[in-house]
Amino acid sequence: MKHSRLTTGQEYPIGKILCIGRNYAEHIRELGNETPEAPVIFMKPGTSVIYEGEEIVIPPYSRECHHEAELAILIGKEGKDIPIEEALEHVAGYGVAIDLTLRDVQGELKKKGLPWEIAKGFDTACPLSDFVPAAAVADPQELRIRLTVNGEVRQDGSTSLMIHSVAAIISHMSGIFTLEPGDVILTGTPAGVSAIKSGDRLCAEIPGVATLRVSVR
Ligand code: MG
């Protein structure tokens, strides 16, 4: 079983990986999507997680794998129907993740109204950093998110541009799914997503929080 690790050394078995889509206006525009009224939610299985220094394996049924750098939240305290004002009390730590997406496959599934798992949940689809304890982050809505490919900047955004805040996401998701210690939430990606290919070296970074380096096999 995969684990999430706090920089203090404490480990949590990974539970649900809950993801929000379309949470930054510029990214919605770059994909030509409509802005949803309610958050778009999907999941990745724990088996999709890889860690610092590991390799992404793009499945043979895709020709277009995109990186999406995202603020990741580690849940440390169980909750259901969590009020927004109490939401951040359920956070154990913050990290950075890459929500890898087979854009060609996802596009076909979207057209047919089918679920996205094979585009979002394949093995290696969720590179994940260690988490800094929540107390080390003064304001999760004031973080920079960067992603480089082979040293070239592709994404450089700020969590201040989220449509739904971290607290709002936790509150909303906990109305649908009981949140448990070890659950991870990916909070959406800023603009700048692009395709990766074999041999590429990716570095996702939230300065002061986490850095994550992976490559493509
Ligand atoms: Mg995403």
Side-chain angles (χ1 to χ4, degrees):
M1 180 177 248
K2 307 272 183 167
H3 286 72
S4 293
R5 199 170 62 207
L6 282 170
T7 52
T8 55
Q10 191 181 354
E11 290 198 345
Y12 293 79
I14 293 185
K16 298 180 284 301
I17 303 174
L18 295 163
C19 309
I20 181 166
R22 304 186 204 171
N23 200 27
Y24 289 80
E26 287 292 334
H27 172 62
I28 293 172
R29 275 194 282 279
E30 76 181 345
L31 292 185
N33 282 321
E34 287 177 14
T35 304
E37 280 185 31
V40 174
I41 296 170
F42 60 94
M43 291 199 206
K44 290 176 185 266
T47 45
S48 66
V49 169
I50 59 170
Y51 305 102
E52 170 77 17
E54 296 191 337
E55 283 188 323
I56 296 163
V57 181
I58 301 172
Y61 54 86
S62 172
R63 301 195 164 277
E64 190 185 24
C65 180
H66 278 189
H67 57 76
E68 299 186 356
E70 309 198 0
L71 171 66
I73 297 163
L74 175 63
I75 297 295
K77 184 174 125 185
E78 184 173 317
K80 172 75 179 167
D81 296 325
I82 301 167
I84 287 192
E85 338 40 279
E86 295 170 19
L88 297 184
E89 297 168 21
H90 291 259
V91 178
Y94 295 96
V96 68
I98 307 175
D99 169 18
L100 291 171
T101 304
L102 307 177
R103 195 70 68 198
D104 52 349
V105 175
Q106 185 196 32
E108 286 301 311
L109 295 169
K110 270 187 188 170
K111 250 189 265 170
K112 295 175 185 162
L114 293 171
W116 298 355
E117 278 84 350
I118 66 168
K120 290 278 201 180
F122 57 93
D123 285 357
T124 78
C126 191
L128 188 63
S129 74
D130 285 353
F131 291 80
V132 294
V137 174
D139 183 354
Q141 303 309 140
E142 290 294 339
L143 300 172
R144 191 172 174 197
I145 303 183
R146 279 165 52 86
L147 183 135
T148 62
V149 178
N150 304 324
E152 178 187 310
V153 178
R154 300 272 181 93
Q155 296 189 267
D156 191 355
S158 167
T159 58
S160 65
L161 302 174
M162 285 183 183
I163 296 169
H164 305 284
S165 68
V166 169
I169 294 168
I170 291 170
S171 176
H172 178 76
M173 285 183 169
S174 74
I176 303 167
F177 311 99
T178 296
L179 298 182
E180 299 176 300
D183 287 348
V184 173
I185 298 176
L186 306 192
T187 55
T189 194
V193 302
S194 66
I196 53 174
K197 59 178 191 319
S198 180
D200 282 347
R201 289 169 292 107
L202 283 67
C203 179
E205 184 190 16
I206 297 180
V209 172
T211 304
L212 173 65
R213 292 175 209 83
V214 288
S215 56
V216 186
R217 184 179 293 173

Short mmCIF file of all heavy atoms in Angstrom, two decimals, residues 84-147:
data_model
loop_
_atom_site.label_atom_id
_atom_site.label_comp_id
_atom_site.label_asym_id
_atom_site.label_seq_id
_atom_site.Cartn_x
_atom_site.Cartn_y
_atom_site.Cartn_z
N ILE A 84 -17.18 25.30 6.49
CA ILE A 84 -16.02 25.97 5.89
C ILE A 84 -15.09 26.52 6.98
O ILE A 84 -13.87 26.40 6.88
CB ILE A 84 -16.46 27.12 4.95
CG1 ILE A 84 -17.05 26.54 3.65
CG2 ILE A 84 -15.28 28.04 4.63
CD1 ILE A 84 -17.25 27.55 2.55
N GLU A 85 -15.68 27.12 8.02
CA GLU A 85 -14.83 27.77 9.04
C GLU A 85 -13.96 26.76 9.79
O GLU A 85 -12.95 27.14 10.39
CB GLU A 85 -15.61 28.52 10.11
CG GLU A 85 -17.00 29.07 10.03
CD GLU A 85 -18.10 28.29 9.37
OE1 GLU A 85 -18.23 28.31 8.14
OE2 GLU A 85 -18.85 27.69 10.13
N GLU A 86 -14.35 25.48 9.79
CA GLU A 86 -13.56 24.46 10.50
C GLU A 86 -12.72 23.61 9.58
O GLU A 86 -11.97 22.73 10.03
CB GLU A 86 -14.50 23.54 11.32
CG GLU A 86 -15.24 24.26 12.43
CD GLU A 86 -16.34 23.41 13.06
OE1 GLU A 86 -16.31 22.16 12.91
OE2 GLU A 86 -17.24 24.00 13.70
N ALA A 87 -12.83 23.87 8.26
CA ALA A 87 -12.25 22.95 7.27
C ALA A 87 -10.74 22.79 7.43
O ALA A 87 -10.21 21.67 7.37
CB ALA A 87 -12.60 23.42 5.87
N LEU A 88 -10.04 23.89 7.65
CA LEU A 88 -8.57 23.81 7.67
C LEU A 88 -8.05 23.05 8.89
O LEU A 88 -6.92 22.59 8.90
CB LEU A 88 -7.95 25.21 7.58
CG LEU A 88 -8.24 25.97 6.26
CD1 LEU A 88 -7.49 27.28 6.23
CD2 LEU A 88 -7.94 25.14 5.02
N GLU A 89 -8.90 22.88 9.92
CA GLU A 89 -8.51 22.08 11.09
C GLU A 89 -8.34 20.60 10.74
O GLU A 89 -7.77 19.84 11.51
CB GLU A 89 -9.56 22.20 12.21
CG GLU A 89 -9.72 23.60 12.74
CD GLU A 89 -10.97 23.74 13.62
OE1 GLU A 89 -11.49 22.71 14.12
OE2 GLU A 89 -11.43 24.89 13.78
N HIS A 90 -8.89 20.19 9.58
CA HIS A 90 -8.80 18.79 9.17
C HIS A 90 -7.56 18.50 8.32
O HIS A 90 -7.33 17.37 7.90
CB HIS A 90 -10.07 18.39 8.41
CG HIS A 90 -11.27 18.34 9.29
ND1 HIS A 90 -11.80 17.15 9.78
CD2 HIS A 90 -12.04 19.34 9.82
CE1 HIS A 90 -12.83 17.43 10.55
NE2 HIS A 90 -13.00 18.75 10.60
N VAL A 91 -6.76 19.55 8.05
CA VAL A 91 -5.59 19.39 7.19
C VAL A 91 -4.37 19.00 8.03
O VAL A 91 -4.02 19.72 8.98
CB VAL A 91 -5.30 20.70 6.42
CG1 VAL A 91 -4.05 20.55 5.56
CG2 VAL A 91 -6.51 21.10 5.57
N ALA A 92 -3.73 17.90 7.66
CA ALA A 92 -2.48 17.51 8.34
C ALA A 92 -1.28 18.17 7.67
O ALA A 92 -0.30 18.50 8.33
CB ALA A 92 -2.31 15.99 8.30
N GLY A 93 -1.35 18.32 6.35
CA GLY A 93 -0.20 18.89 5.66
C GLY A 93 -0.51 19.31 4.24
O GLY A 93 -1.56 18.97 3.69
N TYR A 94 0.46 20.05 3.66
CA TYR A 94 0.35 20.52 2.28
C TYR A 94 1.54 20.03 1.48
O TYR A 94 2.67 19.99 1.99
CB TYR A 94 0.32 22.05 2.23
CG TYR A 94 -0.90 22.66 2.89
CD1 TYR A 94 -0.85 23.10 4.21
CD2 TYR A 94 -2.11 22.78 2.19
CE1 TYR A 94 -1.97 23.66 4.83
CE2 TYR A 94 -3.23 23.34 2.80
CZ TYR A 94 -3.15 23.77 4.12
OH TYR A 94 -4.26 24.31 4.72
N GLY A 95 1.27 19.68 0.21
CA GLY A 95 2.33 19.23 -0.67
C GLY A 95 2.02 19.61 -2.10
O GLY A 95 1.10 20.40 -2.37
N VAL A 96 2.80 19.05 -3.02
CA VAL A 96 2.54 19.30 -4.44
C VAL A 96 2.35 17.96 -5.14
O VAL A 96 3.00 16.96 -4.78
CB VAL A 96 3.66 20.16 -5.08
CG1 VAL A 96 4.98 19.41 -5.17
CG2 VAL A 96 3.24 20.67 -6.45
N ALA A 97 1.43 17.94 -6.10
CA ALA A 97 1.15 16.73 -6.87
C ALA A 97 1.09 17.10 -8.35
O ALA A 97 0.93 18.27 -8.70
CB ALA A 97 -0.17 16.11 -6.45
N ILE A 98 1.25 16.07 -9.19
CA ILE A 98 1.01 16.29 -10.62
C ILE A 98 -0.16 15.38 -11.02
O ILE A 98 -0.07 14.16 -10.89
CB ILE A 98 2.26 15.97 -11.47
CG1 ILE A 98 3.48 16.75 -10.95
CG2 ILE A 98 2.00 16.34 -12.94
CD1 ILE A 98 4.79 16.41 -11.67
N ASP A 99 -1.25 16.01 -11.42
CA ASP A 99 -2.43 15.27 -11.88
C ASP A 99 -2.21 14.96 -13.36
O ASP A 99 -2.55 15.75 -14.22
CB ASP A 99 -3.68 16.14 -11.66
CG ASP A 99 -4.92 15.60 -12.34
OD1 ASP A 99 -4.93 14.40 -12.69
OD2 ASP A 99 -5.88 16.38 -12.51
N LEU A 100 -1.59 13.80 -13.62
CA LEU A 100 -1.33 13.44 -15.02
C LEU A 100 -2.65 13.03 -15.69
O LEU A 100 -3.46 12.31 -15.11
CB LEU A 100 -0.31 12.30 -15.10
CG LEU A 100 1.10 12.72 -14.68
CD1 LEU A 100 2.00 11.49 -14.58
CD2 LEU A 100 1.70 13.74 -15.64
N THR A 101 -2.81 13.52 -16.90
CA THR A 101 -4.08 13.37 -17.62
C THR A 101 -3.84 12.97 -19.06
O THR A 101 -3.10 13.67 -19.77
CB THR A 101 -4.84 14.72 -17.59
OG1 THR A 101 -5.00 15.15 -16.24
CG2 THR A 101 -6.20 14.59 -18.26
N LEU A 102 -4.44 11.86 -19.47
CA LEU A 102 -4.35 11.46 -20.89
C LEU A 102 -5.40 12.27 -21.64
O LEU A 102 -6.58 11.92 -21.68
CB LEU A 102 -4.58 9.96 -21.03
CG LEU A 102 -3.67 9.10 -20.14
CD1 LEU A 102 -4.00 7.62 -20.29
CD2 LEU A 102 -2.19 9.36 -20.47
N ARG A 103 -4.96 13.42 -22.18
CA ARG A 103 -5.93 14.39 -22.69
C ARG A 103 -6.72 13.85 -23.87
O ARG A 103 -7.90 14.14 -24.02
CB ARG A 103 -5.20 15.69 -23.10
CG ARG A 103 -6.12 16.87 -23.28
CD ARG A 103 -6.71 17.38 -21.98
NE ARG A 103 -5.71 17.98 -21.14
CZ ARG A 103 -5.87 18.19 -19.82
NH1 ARG A 103 -6.98 17.84 -19.21
NH2 ARG A 103 -4.91 18.74 -19.12
N ASP A 104 -6.06 13.06 -24.73
CA ASP A 104 -6.78 12.51 -25.89
C ASP A 104 -7.86 11.53 -25.43
O ASP A 104 -9.00 11.55 -25.91
CB ASP A 104 -5.81 11.86 -26.88
CG ASP A 104 -4.86 10.84 -26.24
OD1 ASP A 104 -4.76 10.75 -25.00
OD2 ASP A 104 -4.19 10.11 -27.01
N VAL A 105 -7.50 10.69 -24.47
CA VAL A 105 -8.45 9.69 -23.95
C VAL A 105 -9.59 10.40 -23.21
O VAL A 105 -10.77 10.11 -23.40
CB VAL A 105 -7.72 8.69 -23.02
CG1 VAL A 105 -8.70 7.72 -22.38
CG2 VAL A 105 -6.63 7.95 -23.78
N GLN A 106 -9.22 11.39 -22.36
CA GLN A 106 -10.24 12.13 -21.62
C GLN A 106 -11.21 12.83 -22.57
O GLN A 106 -12.41 12.86 -22.35
CB GLN A 106 -9.57 13.16 -20.70
CG GLN A 106 -10.57 13.90 -19.81
CD GLN A 106 -10.00 15.16 -19.19
OE1 GLN A 106 -9.15 15.83 -19.80
NE2 GLN A 106 -10.44 15.49 -18.00
N GLY A 107 -10.67 13.39 -23.67
CA GLY A 107 -11.50 14.09 -24.64
C GLY A 107 -12.56 13.16 -25.24
O GLY A 107 -13.74 13.53 -25.38
N GLU A 108 -12.14 11.95 -25.58
CA GLU A 108 -13.08 10.97 -26.14
C GLU A 108 -14.14 10.58 -25.11
O GLU A 108 -15.33 10.48 -25.43
CB GLU A 108 -12.32 9.70 -26.60
CG GLU A 108 -11.52 9.88 -27.88
CD GLU A 108 -12.42 10.29 -29.05
OE1 GLU A 108 -13.46 9.63 -29.26
OE2 GLU A 108 -12.07 11.26 -29.74
N LEU A 109 -13.71 10.37 -23.85
CA LEU A 109 -14.65 9.99 -22.80
C LEU A 109 -15.66 11.10 -22.53
O LEU A 109 -16.85 10.85 -22.36
CB LEU A 109 -13.88 9.66 -21.51
CG LEU A 109 -12.94 8.44 -21.58
CD1 LEU A 109 -12.05 8.40 -20.35
CD2 LEU A 109 -13.74 7.14 -21.69
N LYS A 110 -15.15 12.34 -22.50
CA LYS A 110 -16.03 13.50 -22.26
C LYS A 110 -17.11 13.57 -23.33
O LYS A 110 -18.28 13.79 -23.03
CB LYS A 110 -15.21 14.79 -22.34
CG LYS A 110 -14.61 15.26 -21.05
CD LYS A 110 -14.00 16.63 -21.33
CE LYS A 110 -13.19 17.16 -20.20
NZ LYS A 110 -12.44 18.36 -20.61
N LYS A 111 -16.69 13.39 -24.59
CA LYS A 111 -17.63 13.47 -25.71
C LYS A 111 -18.76 12.46 -25.54
O LYS A 111 -19.90 12.74 -25.86
CB LYS A 111 -16.88 13.15 -27.02
CG LYS A 111 -16.72 14.36 -27.94
CD LYS A 111 -16.18 13.93 -29.29
CE LYS A 111 -14.66 14.06 -29.33
NZ LYS A 111 -14.04 13.46 -30.51
N LYS A 112 -18.41 11.28 -25.02
CA LYS A 112 -19.40 10.21 -24.87
C LYS A 112 -20.10 10.26 -23.52
O LYS A 112 -20.94 9.42 -23.23
CB LYS A 112 -18.71 8.85 -25.03
CG LYS A 112 -18.13 8.62 -26.42
CD LYS A 112 -17.36 7.30 -26.47
CE LYS A 112 -16.68 7.13 -27.83
NZ LYS A 112 -15.61 6.12 -27.78
N GLY A 113 -19.71 11.22 -22.66
CA GLY A 113 -20.32 11.30 -21.33
C GLY A 113 -19.91 10.17 -20.41
O GLY A 113 -20.64 9.81 -19.49
N LEU A 114 -18.71 9.60 -20.65
CA LEU A 114 -18.24 8.45 -19.86
C LEU A 114 -17.27 8.89 -18.76
O LEU A 114 -16.69 9.96 -18.84
CB LEU A 114 -17.54 7.45 -20.79
CG LEU A 114 -18.46 6.77 -21.81
CD1 LEU A 114 -17.65 5.97 -22.82
CD2 LEU A 114 -19.48 5.87 -21.12
N PRO A 115 -17.09 8.05 -17.72
CA PRO A 115 -16.16 8.40 -16.64
C PRO A 115 -14.70 8.46 -17.09
O PRO A 115 -14.34 7.87 -18.10
CB PRO A 115 -16.37 7.29 -15.60
CG PRO A 115 -17.33 6.33 -16.18
CD PRO A 115 -17.76 6.78 -17.52
N TRP A 116 -13.88 9.16 -16.30
CA TRP A 116 -12.52 9.53 -16.71
C TRP A 116 -11.42 8.62 -16.17
O TRP A 116 -10.24 8.89 -16.42
CB TRP A 116 -12.19 10.93 -16.18
CG TRP A 116 -13.03 12.02 -16.70
CD1 TRP A 116 -14.02 11.96 -17.65
CD2 TRP A 116 -12.97 13.41 -16.29
NE1 TRP A 116 -14.56 13.19 -17.85
CE2 TRP A 116 -13.94 14.10 -17.02
CE3 TRP A 116 -12.17 14.10 -15.36
CZ2 TRP A 116 -14.14 15.48 -16.87
CZ3 TRP A 116 -12.37 15.46 -15.22
CH2 TRP A 116 -13.34 16.14 -15.96
N GLU A 117 -11.74 7.60 -15.40
CA GLU A 117 -10.69 6.87 -14.67
C GLU A 117 -9.51 6.44 -15.52
O GLU A 117 -8.36 6.55 -15.10
CB GLU A 117 -11.26 5.65 -13.94
CG GLU A 117 -11.91 5.98 -12.61
CD GLU A 117 -13.34 6.43 -12.74
OE1 GLU A 117 -13.80 6.67 -13.88
OE2 GLU A 117 -14.01 6.57 -11.70
N ILE A 118 -9.77 5.93 -16.73
CA ILE A 118 -8.62 5.41 -17.50
C ILE A 118 -7.73 6.54 -18.00
O ILE A 118 -6.58 6.31 -18.37
CB ILE A 118 -9.03 4.46 -18.65
CG1 ILE A 118 -9.82 5.19 -19.74
CG2 ILE A 118 -9.84 3.28 -18.10
CD1 ILE A 118 -9.97 4.35 -21.01
N ALA A 119 -8.26 7.79 -18.00
CA ALA A 119 -7.45 8.95 -18.40
C ALA A 119 -6.72 9.58 -17.22
O ALA A 119 -5.77 10.34 -17.40
CB ALA A 119 -8.34 10.00 -19.07
N LYS A 120 -7.17 9.28 -15.99
CA LYS A 120 -6.69 10.00 -14.80
C LYS A 120 -6.13 9.10 -13.71
O LYS A 120 -5.46 9.59 -12.81
CB LYS A 120 -7.87 10.78 -14.18
CG LYS A 120 -8.39 11.95 -14.99
CD LYS A 120 -7.54 13.18 -14.77
CE LYS A 120 -8.27 14.47 -15.11
NZ LYS A 120 -7.38 15.66 -14.86
N GLY A 121 -6.46 7.79 -13.77
CA GLY A 121 -6.16 6.94 -12.62
C GLY A 121 -5.20 5.79 -12.89
O GLY A 121 -5.00 4.93 -12.02
N PHE A 122 -4.58 5.80 -14.05
CA PHE A 122 -3.65 4.72 -14.41
C PHE A 122 -2.43 4.72 -13.47
O PHE A 122 -2.15 5.73 -12.80
CB PHE A 122 -3.21 4.87 -15.88
CG PHE A 122 -2.56 6.20 -16.20
CD1 PHE A 122 -1.18 6.35 -16.15
CD2 PHE A 122 -3.33 7.31 -16.55
CE1 PHE A 122 -0.57 7.57 -16.43
CE2 PHE A 122 -2.72 8.54 -16.84
CZ PHE A 122 -1.34 8.66 -16.78
N ASP A 123 -1.70 3.62 -13.43
CA ASP A 123 -0.48 3.54 -12.61
C ASP A 123 0.46 4.68 -12.99
O ASP A 123 0.65 4.95 -14.18
CB ASP A 123 0.24 2.21 -12.86
CG ASP A 123 -0.44 1.02 -12.19
OD1 ASP A 123 -1.45 1.21 -11.48
OD2 ASP A 123 0.05 -0.11 -12.41
N THR A 124 1.03 5.34 -12.03
CA THR A 124 1.98 6.47 -12.14
C THR A 124 1.29 7.81 -12.44
O THR A 124 1.98 8.82 -12.62
CB THR A 124 3.13 6.26 -13.17
OG1 THR A 124 2.65 6.48 -14.51
CG2 THR A 124 3.77 4.90 -13.04
N ALA A 125 -0.05 7.86 -12.46
CA ALA A 125 -0.77 9.09 -12.84
C ALA A 125 -0.79 10.14 -11.74
O ALA A 125 -1.31 11.24 -11.95
CB ALA A 125 -2.20 8.76 -13.24
N CYS A 126 -0.21 9.80 -10.56
CA CYS A 126 -0.27 10.78 -9.46
C CYS A 126 1.07 10.93 -8.73
O CYS A 126 1.21 10.51 -7.58
CB CYS A 126 -1.38 10.40 -8.47
SG CYS A 126 -1.73 11.70 -7.27
N PRO A 127 2.07 11.57 -9.38
CA PRO A 127 3.29 11.90 -8.64
C PRO A 127 2.96 12.80 -7.46
O PRO A 127 2.19 13.76 -7.61
CB PRO A 127 4.14 12.65 -9.69
CG PRO A 127 3.62 12.15 -11.02
CD PRO A 127 2.15 11.97 -10.80
N LEU A 128 3.51 12.46 -6.28
CA LEU A 128 3.12 13.14 -5.04
C LEU A 128 4.36 13.40 -4.18
O LEU A 128 5.17 12.51 -3.97
CB LEU A 128 2.15 12.21 -4.28
CG LEU A 128 1.43 12.72 -3.04
CD1 LEU A 128 0.52 13.90 -3.38
CD2 LEU A 128 0.61 11.59 -2.41
N SER A 129 4.46 14.62 -3.66
CA SER A 129 5.60 14.99 -2.80
C SER A 129 5.32 14.58 -1.37
O SER A 129 4.22 14.17 -1.02
CB SER A 129 5.80 16.51 -2.84
OG SER A 129 4.79 17.16 -2.09
N ASP A 130 6.32 14.78 -0.50
CA ASP A 130 6.08 14.75 0.94
C ASP A 130 5.26 15.99 1.30
O ASP A 130 5.20 16.95 0.53
CB ASP A 130 7.41 14.79 1.71
CG ASP A 130 8.13 13.44 1.67
OD1 ASP A 130 7.53 12.46 1.16
OD2 ASP A 130 9.28 13.37 2.13
N PHE A 131 4.66 15.96 2.49
CA PHE A 131 3.81 17.07 2.93
C PHE A 131 4.47 17.82 4.08
O PHE A 131 4.99 17.19 5.01
CB PHE A 131 2.47 16.52 3.41
CG PHE A 131 1.61 15.96 2.29
CD1 PHE A 131 1.84 14.69 1.78
CD2 PHE A 131 0.59 16.72 1.75
CE1 PHE A 131 1.05 14.18 0.76
CE2 PHE A 131 -0.20 16.22 0.72
CZ PHE A 131 0.04 14.95 0.22
N VAL A 132 4.41 19.16 4.03
CA VAL A 132 4.84 19.92 5.21
C VAL A 132 3.65 20.00 6.16
O VAL A 132 2.50 20.05 5.72
CB VAL A 132 5.33 21.36 4.88
CG1 VAL A 132 6.58 21.33 4.07
CG2 VAL A 132 4.24 22.19 4.24
N PRO A 133 3.89 20.00 7.48
CA PRO A 133 2.78 20.10 8.43
C PRO A 133 1.96 21.37 8.16
O PRO A 133 2.53 22.41 7.78
CB PRO A 133 3.47 20.18 9.78
CG PRO A 133 4.82 19.55 9.57
CD PRO A 133 5.19 19.88 8.16
N ALA A 134 0.65 21.27 8.35
CA ALA A 134 -0.25 22.38 8.04
C ALA A 134 0.18 23.67 8.74
O ALA A 134 0.06 24.77 8.17
CB ALA A 134 -1.67 22.02 8.43
N ALA A 135 0.71 23.55 9.96
CA ALA A 135 1.08 24.75 10.72
C ALA A 135 2.18 25.56 10.03
O ALA A 135 2.36 26.74 10.31
CB ALA A 135 1.53 24.35 12.12
N ALA A 136 2.90 24.92 9.09
CA ALA A 136 3.99 25.62 8.40
C ALA A 136 3.48 26.51 7.26
O ALA A 136 4.25 27.29 6.69
CB ALA A 136 4.99 24.60 7.85
N VAL A 137 2.20 26.39 6.94
CA VAL A 137 1.63 27.20 5.84
C VAL A 137 0.66 28.21 6.44
O VAL A 137 -0.40 27.86 6.94
CB VAL A 137 0.91 26.29 4.82
CG1 VAL A 137 0.19 27.12 3.76
CG2 VAL A 137 1.92 25.35 4.17
N ALA A 138 1.04 29.50 6.34
CA ALA A 138 0.22 30.54 6.96
C ALA A 138 -1.11 30.69 6.23
O ALA A 138 -2.16 30.84 6.86
CB ALA A 138 0.98 31.87 6.95
N ASP A 139 -1.09 30.66 4.89
CA ASP A 139 -2.31 30.86 4.12
C ASP A 139 -2.24 30.02 2.84
O ASP A 139 -1.47 30.36 1.93
CB ASP A 139 -2.48 32.34 3.77
CG ASP A 139 -3.78 32.61 3.01
OD1 ASP A 139 -4.49 31.64 2.65
OD2 ASP A 139 -4.09 33.79 2.79
N PRO A 140 -3.04 28.95 2.75
CA PRO A 140 -2.96 28.09 1.56
C PRO A 140 -3.45 28.78 0.28
O PRO A 140 -3.26 28.25 -0.81
CB PRO A 140 -3.86 26.90 1.91
CG PRO A 140 -4.77 27.38 2.99
CD PRO A 140 -4.01 28.44 3.74
N GLN A 141 -4.05 29.95 0.41
CA GLN A 141 -4.49 30.69 -0.80
C GLN A 141 -3.44 31.72 -1.25
O GLN A 141 -3.72 32.55 -2.11
CB GLN A 141 -5.82 31.41 -0.54
CG GLN A 141 -6.96 30.51 -0.08
CD GLN A 141 -7.22 29.29 -0.95
OE1 GLN A 141 -7.49 28.22 -0.43
NE2 GLN A 141 -7.12 29.42 -2.27
N GLU A 142 -2.25 31.65 -0.68
CA GLU A 142 -1.18 32.57 -1.09
C GLU A 142 0.08 31.79 -1.43
O GLU A 142 1.18 32.12 -0.97
CB GLU A 142 -0.89 33.59 0.03
CG GLU A 142 -1.99 34.61 0.25
CD GLU A 142 -2.18 35.57 -0.93
OE1 GLU A 142 -1.24 35.72 -1.75
OE2 GLU A 142 -3.28 36.14 -1.04
N LEU A 143 -0.06 30.73 -2.23
CA LEU A 143 1.09 29.90 -2.59
C LEU A 143 1.31 29.97 -4.10
O LEU A 143 0.35 30.01 -4.87
CB LEU A 143 0.85 28.45 -2.17
CG LEU A 143 0.63 28.20 -0.67
CD1 LEU A 143 0.21 26.75 -0.43
CD2 LEU A 143 1.91 28.53 0.12
N ARG A 144 2.58 29.97 -4.49
CA ARG A 144 2.91 29.93 -5.91
C ARG A 144 3.03 28.46 -6.33
O ARG A 144 3.55 27.64 -5.58
CB ARG A 144 4.24 30.65 -6.08
CG ARG A 144 4.60 30.93 -7.51
CD ARG A 144 5.84 31.81 -7.52
NE ARG A 144 6.32 31.99 -8.89
CZ ARG A 144 7.53 32.43 -9.20
NH1 ARG A 144 8.38 32.73 -8.23
NH2 ARG A 144 7.89 32.57 -10.45
N ILE A 145 2.56 28.12 -7.53
CA ILE A 145 2.71 26.76 -8.06
C ILE A 145 3.45 26.86 -9.38
O ILE A 145 3.01 27.56 -10.30
CB ILE A 145 1.35 26.08 -8.36
CG1 ILE A 145 0.47 26.05 -7.13
CG2 ILE A 145 1.57 24.67 -8.87
CD1 ILE A 145 -0.85 25.32 -7.37
N ARG A 146 4.58 26.15 -9.47
CA ARG A 146 5.37 26.18 -10.70
C ARG A 146 5.61 24.76 -11.20
O ARG A 146 5.73 23.83 -10.42
CB ARG A 146 6.75 26.79 -10.42
CG ARG A 146 6.79 28.29 -10.39
CD ARG A 146 8.07 28.78 -9.75
NE ARG A 146 9.26 28.18 -10.37
CZ ARG A 146 9.86 28.66 -11.46
NH1 ARG A 146 9.42 29.72 -12.05
NH2 ARG A 146 10.93 28.05 -11.95
N LEU A 147 5.71 24.61 -12.50
CA LEU A 147 6.14 23.33 -13.06
C LEU A 147 7.05 23.59 -14.24
O LEU A 147 6.74 24.41 -15.11
CB LEU A 147 4.94 22.47 -13.51
CG LEU A 147 5.37 21.08 -14.01
CD1 LEU A 147 4.50 19.98 -13.46
CD2 LEU A 147 5.39 21.02 -15.54
#
